[in-house]
Amino acid sequence: MIYTGDYTAANIYGTSNGFKIKATTTDTDTFLSVKLTVNFNGEEWIHTFEVPFFQNKAELYIENYIHSIITQKFSVPSFFVNDYKINSYDLATVKMEVSEMKATVSVSAHVSTFYMVLGNFVTVSQSALTSGNIYTLPSNQSNYVSENGMLSFTFLSLTLPDTLTVNDGVTSSIKTLPTVTSSKKLHTLTVPVEKIKSGASDSLLLRLNFGSNSYAELGTFNIQYEGIDHNLIAYQNEFGTLSVMELTGELQTDEQYKESVFRHSNNKKVSLTPTKIEIKKMYAINTGYKRDDSKYEMLRSLLKSFNRYI
């Protein structure tokens, strides 16, 4: 057996890259056995797949399997509406044991361990992170926010940022971020717009600083009128981290009440006893103006998310 798959040791992969475990053989009467041991958020999953060879090739698609593990074990991290917050997340550690089997006997094998994150992005090597490289993941973030809004940025790094540079076109100011330690590689920074607004301009260029030598450009963001109402919805984004979407349209609520009663008679007296009470509260939020394509993409990501929090 020759392993020809897309996964190699110590790399970080997305679960939407379309990658596969692949192998070829010159033998006959064999099949491919793939044992996956996945560790995520302190739990372990072990599953063995059996794949037939067809025309001497075997392929296995595992992205959906890893995706389901990550999404079902997500818990919303804490974040502050009025202050900066850095949250760190586990990567799914995948040990892959590939064996060419003849009946119950392994005739050749290949083993490697790698990491997976939700989403689609260029593969990142562990060695690149060890060398100090920083990778911002392309999570959707609207460039138009109100003073009450919140920005969120996701990145892969072995170090954490210490300051945020805010350039309003006239001056640059340095905002100190909270001191956090973490051995994890995947992180999100949430930034309340109130903390970075400037009296000189509504257009702000942001840069995330990792010590004195490394930084990541975050882009330009424009502060807009806050709208009729103001609501923030946190959700698990396409990379399995936290995003916060700001909705500035009208918020409407509708409460429905339903009661089931038991009717019984005693000495010509009729009594009604409640047996079940249901209260349903529905929310309808107008998104407000969507001024860039990223806001549409955030809405699409929000609707597809398995985990949403108002």
Side-chain angles (χ1 to χ4, degrees), residues 3 5 8 27 30 84 112 116 149-150 178 192 206 215 217 292 299:
Y3 175 73
T8 56
D27 292 333
T30 61
Y84 307 104
S112 64
M116 297 192 75
M150 180 169 288
L206 304 184
Y215 63 89
E217 298 288 355
D292 59 6
L299 183 60

Side-chain angles (χ1 to χ4, degrees), residues 42-90:
E43 297 187 46
E44 183 177 79
W45 290 261
I46 300 176
H47 191 81
T48 300
F49 301 85
E50 295 183 352
V51 186
F53 282 99
F54 178 70
Q55 295 180 346
N56 302 111
K57 297 179 181 179
E59 296 182 349
L60 177 64
Y61 183 80
I62 65 169
E63 292 183 341
N64 286 343
Y65 176 67
I66 307 299
H67 183 279
S68 66
I69 291 175
I70 295 175
T71 53
Q72 69 178 303
K73 289 301 176 181
F74 177 80
S75 59
V76 63
S78 62
F79 70 96
F80 306 137
V81 175
N82 299 316
D83 205 354
Y84 307 104
K85 187 70 167 67
I86 297 174
N87 287 298
S88 299
Y89 307 82
D90 277 347

Side-chain angles (χ1 to χ4, degrees), residues 108-273:
S108 61
H110 171 87
V111 179
S112 64
T113 300
F114 51 89
Y115 309 95
M116 297 192 75
V117 178
L118 294 187
N120 184 352
F121 57 90
V122 176
T123 299
V124 176
S125 68
Q126 172 76 13
S127 60
L129 293 183
T130 304
S131 298
N133 291 332
I134 299 153
Y135 296 88
T136 53
L137 298 183
S139 56
N140 296 307
Q141 173 60 64
S142 175
N143 295 94
Y144 295 87
V145 290
S146 80
E147 289 187 4
N148 294 320
M150 180 169 288
L151 302 169
S152 60
F153 306 99
T154 295
F155 54 94
L156 286 163
S157 174
L158 291 183
T159 59
L160 292 172
D162 52 4
T163 61
L164 178 70
T165 300
V166 182
N167 188 325
D168 61 12
V170 179
T171 59
S172 289
S173 59
I174 304 297
K175 308 294 184 181
T176 301
L177 300 177
T179 301
V180 179
T181 57
S182 175
S183 60
K184 298 180 179 181
K185 305 176 183 69
L186 180 64
H187 317 277
T188 292
L189 169 67
T190 49
V191 179
V193 177
E194 177 70 23
K195 300 285 287 186
I196 62 172
K197 68 179 183 179
S198 167
S201 175
D202 290 333
S203 181
L204 306 176
L205 177 65
L206 304 184
R207 187 179 74 183
L208 197 56
N209 304 305
F210 298 75
S212 58
N213 298 321
S214 300
Y215 63 89
E217 298 288 355
L218 300 178
T220 300
F221 301 90
N222 302 284
I223 302 177
Q224 304 292 309
Y225 167 65
E226 65 181 26
I228 299 173
D229 280 327
H230 181 268
N231 297 278
L232 297 176
I233 299 181
Y235 63 96
Q236 185 185 28
N237 62 31
E238 60 270 34
F239 297 104
T241 63
L242 185 72
S243 282
V244 183
M245 184 173 184
E246 180 184 27
L247 302 175
T248 57
E250 183 180 6
L251 170 64
Q252 297 177 336
T253 60
D254 179 28
E255 189 171 291
Q256 297 179 355
Y257 177 88
K258 182 180 179 181
E259 179 180 3
S260 300
V261 297
F262 175 70
R263 184 177 185 277
H264 58 93
S265 301
N266 185 19
N267 296 327
K268 299 182 180 180
K269 292 182 180 181
V270 177
S271 300
L272 300 177
T273 303

Side-chain angles (χ1 to χ4, degrees), residues 267-295:
N267 296 327
K268 299 182 180 180
K269 292 182 180 181
V270 177
S271 300
L272 300 177
T273 303
T275 59
K276 184 178 182 182
I277 297 175
E278 293 182 8
I279 299 176
K280 294 182 179 180
K281 197 165 187 177
M282 300 181 64
Y283 296 88
I285 305 177
N286 188 305
T287 62
Y289 291 110
K290 296 186 286 293
R291 293 181 170 88
D292 59 6
D293 289 342
S294 294
K295 193 66 174 283

